[in-house]
Amino acid sequence: MSNDAYTLASEAAAALKSAAGLDTFDVALVMGSGWVPAADALGETVADIPFTELPGFRAPAVAGHGGKIRVVRTEQGRHALVFLGRSHLYEGRGVDSVVHGVRTAAAAGVRTVVLTNAAGGLRPETQKVGDPVLISDHINMTGANPITGTTFIDLTEVYSRRLRTLVHEIDPSIAEGVYVAFRGPTYETPAEIRMLRTLGGDMIGMSTVLEAIAAREAGLDVLGISLVTNPGAGLSGDPLNHEEVLEVGRVTATRMGILLAKVVDRL
């Protein structure tokens, strides 16, 4: 990360603390496509801060993403930063823009980040549309990395085993899988889906991986959760569309919010 990106994240964190009237925060959650309604189940809203009021943030360009950071007080008194929306690499704003939210959260004192996303399922034989899947590992096929230079980050355990164990204690039925990230914005071809299954992928999407790498660079513990919103291209015979992704998110939002609330209060 360039010095300018560090500075911008620090400035955004200071503005965030000032707007929320808090000195620090316990956890950050980044909500993926269709996950926004789940934020309502997390606790009491302390403040809603538009992205455009904070240095380095821009309004999301994607339907189904919000455009603000919600500060939430949970039942146990923890303060969570809920990012209602995110930037994607395919928007053309650069890698620093994609990971600015995570870096801002780290600068604001957060030590744990929960990254959620909507994903295509690569294993329809075991995954149902609407199932949450814990991310156990990832394959980065975006062609990008938020870290440049000679900073070498160990990615043996990007997604915290401890946090995944905690989720399994709350809901033992949740499966785990490997998330594959493409740049987008095109959905994958059937041939690419066959390739990814061969490589060991279980879910496919266009986010999360770069944020997870930036979070690990900052020393944060990462929990990743995908919501399977559709089978991968060629696995069902139906074309893919973004509205379907959002609709599955809306239908399952309450369940996801309850799960996240339980997780956050046990961190």
Side-chain angles (χ1 to χ4, degrees):
M1 175 165 61
S2 68
N3 288 333
D4 287 345
Y6 276 115
T7 300
L8 200 57
S10 295
E11 291 174 352
L16 183 57
K17 290 177 183 180
S18 177
L22 295 167
D23 292 329
T24 192
F25 305 91
D26 300 294
V27 61
L29 302 95
V30 180
M31 296 302 199
S33 299
W35 281 75
V36 172
D40 295 335
L42 291 173
E44 173 192 358
T45 298
V46 175
D48 275 330
I49 305 162
F51 283 164
T52 51
E53 294 184 2
L54 299 173
F57 284 91
R58 302 185 197 179
V62 185
H65 285 260
K68 60 189 176 183
I69 300 175
R70 176 171 294 174
V71 181
V72 173
R73 182 183 296 110
T74 72
E75 287 188 4
Q76 299 299 320
R78 290 181 171 86
H79 286 105
L81 293 174
V82 185
F83 289 78
L84 299 176
R86 57 158 46 106
S87 291
H88 297 79
L89 195 60
Y90 56 72
E91 294 173 38
R93 298 171 177 174
V95 176
D96 283 341
S97 178
V98 172
V99 301
H100 181 58
V102 166
R103 288 171 169 165
T104 296
V110 164
R111 305 317 303 161
T112 302
V113 63
V114 181
L115 302 174
T116 74
N117 60 55
L122 301 180
R123 310 287 172 183
E125 60 273 19
T126 57
Q127 298 168 340
K128 298 193 302 292
V129 169
D131 280 351
V133 181
L134 296 180
I135 303 175
S136 59
D137 205 346
H138 72 230
I139 300 173
N140 182 6
M141 301 194 76
T142 67
N145 195 303
I147 303 170
T148 57
T150 56
T151 301
F152 301 105
I153 304 296
D154 176 32
L155 297 183
T156 303
E157 189 179 313
V158 183
Y159 304 92
S160 167
R161 186 181 304 275
R162 176 184 65 84
L163 295 179
R164 284 183 278 136
T165 298
L166 184 153
V167 175
H168 282 305
E169 291 171 356
I170 296 170
D171 187 346
S173 69
I174 294 183
E176 296 192 3
V178 175
Y179 178 83
V180 184
F182 273 16
R183 181 185 181 93
T186 53
Y187 289 110
E188 316 72 47
T189 67
E192 288 169 337
I193 293 296
R194 292 193 298 271
M195 174 190 72
L196 297 179
R197 281 168 57 93
T198 301
L199 292 176
D202 299 296
M203 298 89 68
I204 173 70
M206 306 174 193
S207 68
T208 302
V209 164
L210 301 181
E211 293 162 312
I213 294 171
R216 293 302 300 136
E217 179 193 25
L220 307 189
D221 288 333
V222 180
L223 176 66
I225 310 176
S226 292
L227 178 65
V228 177
T229 53
N230 56 272
L235 297 179
S236 70
D238 297 324
L240 304 180
N241 67 85
H242 189 59
E243 185 53 41
E244 177 187 9
V245 169
L246 298 181
E247 179 58 26
V248 172
R250 284 191 285 266
V251 169
T252 58
T254 300
R255 178 190 176 194
M256 295 301 99
I258 292 171
L259 171 66
L260 291 176
K262 291 178 178 177
V263 171
V264 167
D265 271 333
R266 292 186 60 180
L267 291 175

